[in-house]
Structure formats: C-alpha cells, structure tokens
Amino acid sequence: MKYALLLNNRSDDVERWAALSPDEAAAARAEEMPRWEALFARLGERGQWLSGVELDEPSLARTVRVVDGEPVVTDGPYAETREVVGGLMLVECADLDEAIELAAAVPLVDRGSVEIRPVVE
Amino acid sequence: MRYLALVHADDGAWAALSDDDRSAVYERYRAFTEEARGAGKLVDGHELQPASTATTVRVVDGDTVVTDGPFAELREQIGGYFVLDCESIDEAVALAAKIPAAERGAIEVRPAYEDGSS
C-alpha cells in the first residue's frame, strides 16, 4: 500500500536555521546527512522507496486560490502553524504498522513530526 | 526546478459530493494532469485519503508517540499533492491555479530545496 509521509519541522527551528550563516547551515546539513542517507539506503533495500522531495524554506511559499475565475496569489504558506512541512516521501509499505516503523526512523521525528497518510490508489 | 503543490480543500465537502459531481471533478483532474504531463511540467501527483485517516508520529524523550490525526488542524486539510517541474515559481503558481481544488480551497506552492540555495 502506498503512503505519503509529510516530514514536518517546528516553525521555531525553521526560523533559527534561516538565521544561520551559509557556513553554519552547510555544517548543520553535513552533520545530519549520514542519518538521512542511512534511511534512504534502508528504504531502498526494503523496496519501500518510491519518491520524495525536500522543500526549501516555507517563507518562499506562495498560495493561490481562484476567486470568480481569477487566480489570487498571496506570498507565504497556506497557514502559520507550529510545525511546517519540510519534505514529502511516497513509500510502499505492507500496512500502517510498517509505515509507522519507517516514520519513527526519519531523522526529524524527535524534533518535529511525521504524518502518515494513505494514498488513494 | 521542482515545486511541491500542496492541495488544501475541505474534505468534508468533498465527501458530501454526489458520485456524479465527484466524477466530474475527477475528469477535470484527469484533464489537468494530461495537460501538465504533456507540457513536461508534471513529475508526480497523488490524491490522499482524508485527514481523519492520518497518523502522526513523534519521538519525545526517546519514546515513539503515535497519535490519530494530522500534524496540524487546518481549516482546509491537505487532500493531495503534485510535484511540478517549472522554470520559475511564477510559472508553478500559474500552473497550480489550474488545479481544480484552487476554486474551492487553496494550493500552496513550495519550492524544492536545491543544493546551493538558502
């Protein structure tokens, strides 16, 4: 069964990272990268990986609605929330328990959250 | 460059549509995906089961905490997504405006992280 995993960071962490210098940000990324690579290797070995995308800062978002036939675009994300989506993964798992086990292995799960949503197939 | 279009819509209203009305909306999605794919702008896209089916996982003080429900309560929950390949965010937004849910809800367009950016 396919599941979408929304990988969420705390907004206050996102703000803190936005204030880092490019060198500090690169160092933070480099430090965490091995854990992500281990996760991706595991997903690949188990045949669970389908696709994914890492997102840039929420402040770069635009939100569009169509009102009376015309697009209305606002700068910023859809809503200001305590946690914000930082990435999305599409995975193939036997059942929800397997998806939960996978989610618990995502590096940001101890400082943010992972939402598991079944995909309409 | 890639962009994630998160589709926000009232899933209660969606569930309440008649089968005919829902079929008509699916037809519009089929037309959207065909047009976007034909133009080489669509990488992927999926409809998600309603937010009531979500499970959220956190690890707190070393313990895995699993709760029913989405990570945030939003007026219009995430009902699906598309991954778009466009030249600019302006182009991605113009394309996202063609997603049927833009009329009933809202589409949040998020640039993907590219090495070398922020």
Side-chain angles (χ1 to χ4, degrees):
Chain A
M1 294 172 54
K2 288 187 174 60
Y3 295 91
L5 268 55
L6 300 176
L7 313 185
N8 309 308
N9 291 302
R10 288 175 36 166
S11 295
D12 49 10
D13 283 340
V14 172
E15 277 180 31
R16 216 164 23 81
W17 298 332
L20 294 178
S21 73
D23 283 350
E24 287 168 334
R29 260 188 98 74
E31 197 192 335
E32 194 165 89
M33 198 52 68
R35 295 173 62 200
W36 287 97
E37 282 163 0
L39 174 70
F40 296 142
R42 165 182 162 163
L43 294 178
E45 283 158 18
R46 297 181 183 193
Q48 294 170 322
W49 174 260
L50 291 174
S51 61
V53 58
E54 179 185 353
L55 302 182
D56 210 331
E57 301 178 19
S59 61
L60 301 176
R62 302 242 181 105
T63 298
V64 57
R65 295 179 184 266
V66 169
V67 181
D68 295 330
E70 291 301 319
V72 175
V73 185
T74 49
D75 282 343
Y78 169 80
E80 299 295 334
T81 44
R82 265 193 338 148
E83 288 175 335
V84 291
V85 181
L88 181 151
M89 299 195 313
L90 187 69
V91 297
E92 180 74 47
C93 292
D95 53 28
L96 179 61
D97 282 343
E98 193 176 302
I100 289 171
E101 197 194 332
L102 193 169
V106 174
L108 54 54
V109 76
D110 59 354
R111 57 176 161 76
S113 67
V114 176
E115 177 179 327
I116 301 164
R117 195 84 77 83
V119 167
V120 174
E121 300 195 54
Chain B
M1 291 171 294
R2 291 192 307 163
Y3 298 86
L4 178 67
L6 286 165
V7 178
H8 291 266
D10 178 348
D11 53 26
W14 174 245
L17 286 180
S18 70
D19 285 348
D20 282 350
D21 285 346
R22 207 172 304 123
S23 290
V25 176
Y26 275 135
E27 178 53 35
R28 293 184 57 205
Y29 271 97
R30 198 200 54 75
F32 168 79
T33 54
E34 194 173 291
E35 183 188 330
R37 195 174 285 132
K41 307 289 177 189
L42 181 66
V43 178
D44 198 10
H46 291 278
E47 181 187 357
L48 303 180
Q49 303 277 6
S52 57
T53 69
T55 304
T56 296
V57 180
R58 295 188 174 87
V59 168
V60 181
D61 296 327
D63 293 322
T64 301
V65 178
V66 180
T67 51
D68 288 339
F71 78 94
E73 292 300 332
L74 304 172
R75 219 161 43 98
E76 293 153 320
Q77 285 290 346
I78 296 168
Y81 70 92
F82 292 97
V83 179
L84 307 175
D85 188 358
C86 295
E87 302 293 309
S88 68
I89 191 161
D90 285 340
E91 187 189 342
V93 166
L95 184 54
K98 298 182 181 182
I99 295 169
E103 295 165 10
R104 299 180 291 117
I107 316 299
E108 177 177 327
V109 179
R110 297 279 310 271
Y113 178 84
E114 313 273 347
D115 256 329
S117 64
S118 61

